[in-house]
Amino acid sequence: MLTAKLIDNIWATRKCESLNGLKFMLAEVIGGIEAGRRLIVVDTISAGIGDRVIVCTGSSARRMLDDDKIPVDAVVVGIIDEDCNFE
Amino acid sequence: MLTAKLIDNIWATRKCESLNGLKFMLAEVIGGIEAGRRLIVVDTISAGIGDRVIVCTGSSARRMLDDDKIPVDAVVVGIIDEDCNFE
Amino acid sequence: MLTAKLIDNIWATRKCESLNGLKFMLAEVIGGIEAGRRLIVVDTISAGIGDRVIVCTGSSARRMLDDDKIPVDAVVVGIIDEDCNFE
Amino acid sequence: MLTAKLIDNIWATRKCESLNGLKFMLAEVIGGIEAGRRLIVVDTISAGIGDRVIVCTGSSARRMLDDDKIPVDAVVVGIIDEDCNFE
Amino acid sequence: MLTAKLIDNIWATRKCESLNGLKFMLAEVIGGIEAGRRLIVVDTISAGIGDRVIVCTGSSARRMLDDDKIPVDAVVVGIIDEDCNFE
């Protein structure tokens, strides 16, 4: 999984029907040589802008959603505790 | 998913039969350290050159298409609203 | 998918049995910040050295082959038209 | 798989329910041009901070866990022997 | 697939049970802008240190092994012929 910070919301009125109702956010990888890499993630655990989160990618990301038929490849699976400091 | 801009059409007369009828476009990632990375995507929601789109990749991308047997690994799943400004 | 140019043939006499009879080629990504990235692809649509092709990767690549049991992660799915000029 | 060093623990109280009870750690890739790339991994074989480990990623990572429904894309599958020196 | 050179053996006494008996090797990508990227691969076709090999990654890699339940994401699928010179 990736360590990322949620930096903004993404709005897309025209989209694949199965994505209706999902919340899309822009995340930026933090730490390591991939810091600054950006990806769009789906959030289902009420994370907010500024939160540091754990992002799961690929086919595993769909496991977070009820429907395995959804075209989603990155999902917020956890919010890192505020008092969790890592190197 | 990736944030990308559609920059051109791609034409391939000779291709895998199951791809007949699909519309291929060239997309360029925008934002972050991967900005400028290019990939070919399939569009099924009538996106056009210049649109900023959400691109889903990998096995999840096939979920957008009716047929899971298709050799496609990147699909446009949404068009980002024109008035959506993100950092 | 990736935009790549086929640059050479790859010969491997000793290989996984299920790969017997497949044609392996060396492809180099063209365009964008990944230009110059190389990968070995399987060609089943009679592409040749010098052709610009569409390469599908990952589990989706196997969809091009008749047998989903084959250890292949990159396949040529289309040959870009010679008169197709993209940015 | 990747060669990585475990460098810290990651705590996330709020997370996807199916992840409860799993141990998350921050790993940093060692060796090669990807050295310094960081990812969050799940450990189920009692690895500790400082250990050099083998990390399996993608859908294969879920094979380590009992439940294929879990949104996990990177798992520690082995601890490299302390006396194993590689180039 | 990737073109890589096998550069060393990797020993991990403590590992996921399903991996017992498998031979792990350190491979380094050769050619292109990813040259120098390292990954751990499973070898089942008796490749040796110094061999140039074809490495299949991701879910496709498991196809080489008898058991699809194994947490492996990179496998040697072929040994490139010694007299095969590519650009």
Side-chain angles (χ1 to χ4, degrees), chain A residues 13-14 38 40 62 73, chain B residues 1 46 57 60 63 81 87:
Chain A
T13 305
R14 196 151 104 215
R38 289 187 182 181
I40 297 179
R62 294 196 307 269
D73 65 10
Chain B
M1 285 74 65
S46 303
T57 62
S60 300
R63 310 287 153 164
D81 292 349
E87 205 178 301

Side-chain angles (χ1 to χ4, degrees), chain B residues 13-14 38 40 62 73, chain C residues 1 46 60 63 77 81 87:
Chain B
T13 305
R14 196 151 105 216
R38 289 185 182 184
I40 297 179
R62 294 196 308 269
D73 64 11
Chain C
M1 284 74 63
S46 302
S60 300
R63 311 285 154 166
V77 296
D81 292 349
E87 205 177 301

Side-chain angles (χ1 to χ4, degrees), chain D residues 6-41:
Chain D
L6 298 177
I7 56 175
D8 223 329
N9 293 297
I10 295 289
W11 302 103
T13 305
R14 196 151 104 216
K15 58 179 172 292
C16 168
E17 267 189 40
S18 59
L19 297 179
N20 282 332
L22 289 180
K23 177 182 159 203
F24 292 89
M25 299 191 78
L26 187 62
E28 186 170 286
V29 173
I30 51 178
I33 63 169
E34 285 194 315
R37 177 180 154 207
R38 288 186 182 181
L39 63 172
I40 297 179
V41 298

Side-chain angles (χ1 to χ4, degrees), chain E:
Chain E
M1 286 73 63
L2 299 168
T3 317
K5 191 173 195 168
L6 298 177
I7 56 174
D8 223 328
N9 293 296
I10 295 290
W11 302 103
T13 306
R14 195 151 105 215
K15 59 179 173 290
C16 167
E17 267 190 41
S18 59
L19 297 178
N20 282 332
L22 289 181
K23 176 182 161 205
F24 293 89
M25 300 192 77
L26 188 62
E28 186 170 286
V29 173
I30 51 178
I33 62 168
E34 285 193 316
R37 177 180 154 206
R38 288 186 182 182
L39 63 172
I40 297 179
V41 298
V42 165
D43 168 48
T44 62
I45 58 173
S46 302
I49 292 176
D51 282 348
R52 295 177 307 163
V53 294
I54 301 174
V55 173
C56 178
T57 61
S59 64
S60 300
R62 295 196 307 268
R63 311 285 152 164
M64 181 80 183
L65 306 171
D66 289 332
D67 179 3
D68 192 53
K69 291 281 179 191
I70 280 181
V72 161
D73 63 11
V75 174
V76 175
V77 297
I79 301 175
I80 297 173
D81 292 350
E82 283 191 24
D83 60 355
C84 173
N85 297 307
F86 42 86
E87 203 179 303

Side-chain angles (χ1 to χ4, degrees), chain A residues 8 10-16 19 24 26 34-40 59 62 68-74, chain B residues 1-3 31-34 45-47 54-57 59-60 63-64 77-81 84-87:
Chain A
D8 222 329
I10 296 289
W11 302 102
T13 305
R14 196 151 104 215
K15 58 179 172 291
C16 168
L19 297 179
F24 293 90
L26 187 62
E34 285 194 315
R37 178 180 154 207
R38 289 187 182 181
L39 64 172
I40 297 179
S59 64
R62 294 196 307 269
D68 193 53
K69 290 282 179 192
I70 280 181
V72 160
D73 65 10
Chain B
M1 285 74 65
L2 299 167
T3 316
I33 62 169
E34 285 194 316
I45 57 172
S46 303
I54 301 174
V55 174
C56 178
T57 62
S59 65
S60 300
R63 310 287 153 164
M64 181 79 183
V77 296
I79 300 175
I80 297 174
D81 292 349
C84 172
N85 297 307
F86 41 87
E87 205 178 301

